[in-house]
Each structure stands twice: as C-alpha cells, then as structure tokens.
C-alpha cells in the first residue's frame, strides 16, 4: 500500500514512510484507535518530547491571561477525548502539570485547579 502511495505521490515531491498497521494511529494532537468492539475512539496525543511547560504566573502578564491558558487547555483535553476515563486521566495530568509549572492563578475561575 505504502509503495503504491509513494508512486502516486512522487510527482508532487511527497514520500510516505512505512509504518505498521495496527489498532491506533497518531494524527496531529489526537490518537485514533479501535476499542474492544472495533469502534473508532479518540484521545489526546502529546509527543514524547513535549515538556508540558505553560506560562508561569511570575511572568509579567495580566491575571486573565493565566486563567485563559488553564481554561483553554482544559477545553482542549475535554474535546479530544471520546472516553470519560481517558478524559479524566488527561485532566489530572494537566492539573499536575499546571501546578508543577506554577501556571495557576486561582481556582475561582474554573473550579478545576
């Protein structure tokens, strides 16, 4: 399949690498996978090299900027998980990362942190 794809795409200067066909694939910031009943599900994907650093509260930005970083990241996690257990796991990871980076202003804006 990949060989035929490369033949067709060669005229455009595109070359696809070979990969193993399996039950999941990473695309942009989501992982698409087949669950136990062969239904397509998705979850948040972060590259292994992602340092998960966020805007620190000791930088010179207005407080609403820090709150919007946390809020937008929570929306990102919530929208990129089709299953509740992966959503909760990713939200806990985000919460830990925000606290570790001192990227939290207050808990009043979201009720999450």
């Amino acid at each position: 399949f990949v060989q035929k794809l490369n033949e067709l795409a060669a005229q455009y200067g595109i070359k696809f690498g070979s990969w193993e066909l399996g039950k999941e694939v990473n695309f942009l910031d989501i992982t698409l996978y087949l669950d136990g009943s062969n239904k397509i599900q998705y979850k948040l994907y972060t590259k292994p090299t992602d340092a998960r650093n966020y805007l620190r509260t000791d930088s010179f930005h207005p407080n609403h900027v820090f709150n919007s970083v946390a809020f937008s990241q929570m929306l990102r996690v919530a929208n990129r998980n089709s299953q509740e257990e992966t959503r909760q796991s990713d939200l806990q990871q985000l919460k830990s990362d925000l606290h570790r980076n001192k990227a939290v202003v207050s808990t009043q804006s979201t009720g999450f942190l």
Side-chain angles (χ1 to χ4, degrees):
F1 173 74
V2 176
Q3 182 181 359
K4 182 66 174 172
L5 192 59
N6 280 328
E7 289 172 10
L8 295 172
Q11 64 183 347
Y12 302 107
I14 299 172
K15 181 169 173 44
F16 295 94
S18 62
W19 60 85
E20 292 184 26
L21 297 177
K23 291 199 173 235
E24 69 178 41
V25 64
N26 299 322
F27 178 72
L28 298 176
D29 64 345
I30 61 170
T31 298
L32 297 168
Y33 65 96
L34 295 175
D35 64 8
S37 60
N38 281 334
K39 291 186 179 180
I40 297 175
Q41 302 293 339
Y42 55 92
K43 60 185 176 182
L44 182 67
Y45 171 72
T46 53
K47 291 183 179 181
T49 57
D50 183 7
R52 298 178 185 219
N53 289 325
Y54 300 100
L55 190 61
R56 292 177 54 99
T57 56
D58 55 3
S59 65
F60 295 100
H61 292 83
N63 282 347
H64 73 274
V65 172
F66 303 111
N67 288 334
S68 68
V69 168
F71 184 74
S72 63
Q73 288 300 310
M74 285 187 295
L75 285 178
R76 179 174 173 260
V77 168
N79 290 330
R80 286 168 179 77
N81 281 289
S82 60
Q83 298 292 312
E84 186 61 28
E85 64 264 7
T86 58
R87 181 179 301 120
Q88 291 301 321
S89 172
D90 287 345
L91 283 171
Q92 287 303 317
Q93 180 66 48
L94 174 62
K95 182 177 179 179
S96 171
D97 293 340
L98 289 171
H99 282 288
R100 179 180 47 83
N101 286 299
K102 296 182 173 70
V104 179
V105 176
S106 74
T107 59
Q108 295 175 355
S109 63
T110 61
F112 165 70
L113 306 169

